[in-house]
Amino acid sequence: MDSKIAFQTFSLENDIKEVDLKDKLFDFDEAEQRRVVKEEPWKKDPHYFKSCKISAVALIKMVIHARSGGIYEIMGLMAGKVDGDSIVITDSFALPVQGTETRVNAQNEANEYMVQFIEATRQSGHKESIIGWYHSHPGYGCWLSGIDVNTQDTNQKYQDPFVAVVIDPNRTISAGKVDIGAFRTYPEGYKPPNSSTEYQSIPLNKIEDFGVHANQYYPLDVQIFKSKLDDEMLGLLWNKYWVNTLSSSPLIS
């Protein structure tokens, strides 16, 4: 399969929707964002946010980063905005933090990078806010561990709106569907009604951590979008992803 066909397959598998540039997804109204953040409607409803809309450019950048970590967890931040009951991710940025198979290593160091990056972004006059963080779970699915729940809970307390995205690079087929999840934690003491967790294959050494914290957060519907203007950047990123994927394939290495 050549690179172009592989990208077409990737776009179909991940249901990447092309959105018109006039769509409000691409419009950033600073005054409106300030108003929403001031009103904090998510404080009144623990399930306020229903979906996480991610640009295809941000998605491929996150997948490249996740694959580069191998068996180790990686971490990064995402920029975007609030659009009704959706969190919109327009870009992603890798952080120089590497973890282990069971946790993001040196969590204090990771949090320091996050704080510094967010502050630098504000000072640079970047319009869109840092609105979430992402990390990888190599080989063990998309869910939040106890440490992830604590990290997300802290972010929601001090810099909401904020979303946690998890990618499993091992379960992501090269030209197929990205194994990805987007999550928000519940307020302390909140008990979700009729709570049930979607079945997924969790390694035995992760089952306890998964089970203990499964009712402390909920998933958002993940949707992927792009515009015509993204095509050139997507082409460049895809070629990098495709080459890296092929070079690491046991079939040809």
Side-chain angles (χ1 to χ4, degrees), residues 179-199:
D179 195 13
I180 188 170
F183 307 98
R184 294 265 302 170
T185 52
Y186 291 125
E188 193 173 347
Y190 176 79
K191 290 185 179 179
N194 305 318
S195 56
S196 64
T197 47
E198 184 181 337
Y199 172 79

Side-chain angles (χ1 to χ4, degrees), residues 1 16 18 34 63 76 78 96 151 205 208 210 221 228 243:
M1 190 187 296
I16 298 177
E18 184 165 309
R34 279 200 300 266
V63 174
M78 303 177 297
T151 300
N205 64 333
E208 186 178 356
F210 172 79
D221 179 44
K228 272 287 184 192
V243 167

Side-chain angles (χ1 to χ4, degrees), residues 119-131:
E119 188 56 36
T121 303
R122 284 173 182 153
Q123 289 179 1
S124 68
H126 198 282
K127 281 187 177 180
E128 290 166 325
S129 306
I130 298 300
I131 204 161

Side-chain angles (χ1 to χ4, degrees), residues 31-49 82 84-85 87 122 131 153-162 184 187 218:
E32 172 63 12
Q33 290 300 302
R34 279 200 300 266
R35 182 192 68 77
V36 172
V37 170
K38 187 176 180 181
E39 288 183 2
E40 299 181 314
W42 46 85
K43 288 282 176 73
K44 302 180 187 77
D45 177 8
H47 288 94
Y48 177 79
F49 288 111
V82 171
D85 61 5
I87 290 178
R122 284 173 182 153
I131 204 161
D153 195 45
T154 300
N155 286 324
Q156 286 183 207
K157 279 178 182 171
Y158 298 108
Q159 48 200 31
D160 227 7
F162 221 77
R184 294 265 302 170
Y218 72 98

Side-chain angles (χ1 to χ4, degrees), residues 95-252:
L95 288 178
V97 177
Q98 183 171 285
T100 66
E101 295 94 326
T102 53
R103 58 158 289 170
V104 171
N105 204 19
Q107 191 65 37
N108 288 339
E109 180 188 8
N111 289 337
E112 280 177 27
Y113 276 123
M114 287 174 74
V115 171
Q116 289 170 8
F117 194 99
I118 290 167
E119 188 56 36
T121 303
R122 284 173 182 153
Q123 289 179 1
S124 68
H126 198 282
K127 281 187 177 180
E128 290 166 325
S129 306
I130 298 300
I131 204 161
W133 68 296
Y134 71 89
H135 71 289
S136 63
H137 276 185
Y140 44 98
C142 298
W143 47 282
L144 297 186
S145 68
I147 289 173
D148 300 337
V149 167
N150 288 338
T151 300
Q152 177 60 19
D153 195 45
T154 300
N155 286 324
Q156 286 183 207
K157 279 178 182 171
Y158 298 108
Q159 48 200 31
D160 227 7
F162 221 77
V163 65
V165 164
V166 183
I167 292 175
D168 186 339
N170 297 14
R171 296 186 184 184
T172 294
I173 303 166
S174 303
K177 180 139 181 75
V178 175
D179 195 13
I180 188 170
F183 307 98
R184 294 265 302 170
T185 52
Y186 291 125
E188 193 173 347
Y190 176 79
K191 290 185 179 179
N194 305 318
S195 56
S196 64
T197 47
E198 184 181 337
Y199 172 79
Q200 56 177 307
S201 175
I202 310 290
L204 286 175
N205 64 333
K206 310 286 183 187
I207 283 287
E208 186 178 356
D209 197 21
F210 172 79
V212 167
H213 305 285
N215 289 330
Q216 292 176 260
Y217 60 91
Y218 72 98
L220 281 69
D221 179 44
V222 175
Q223 301 166 20
I224 314 298
F225 70 92
K226 75 178 184 78
S227 75
K228 272 287 184 192
L229 286 182
D230 291 330
D231 285 347
E232 186 176 353
M233 175 64 80
L234 278 171
L236 293 170
L237 283 169
W238 178 258
N239 287 335
K240 179 181 179 182
Y241 172 61
W242 187 241
V243 167
N244 288 349
T245 299
L246 279 177
S247 64
S248 63
S249 169
L251 295 175
I252 63 170

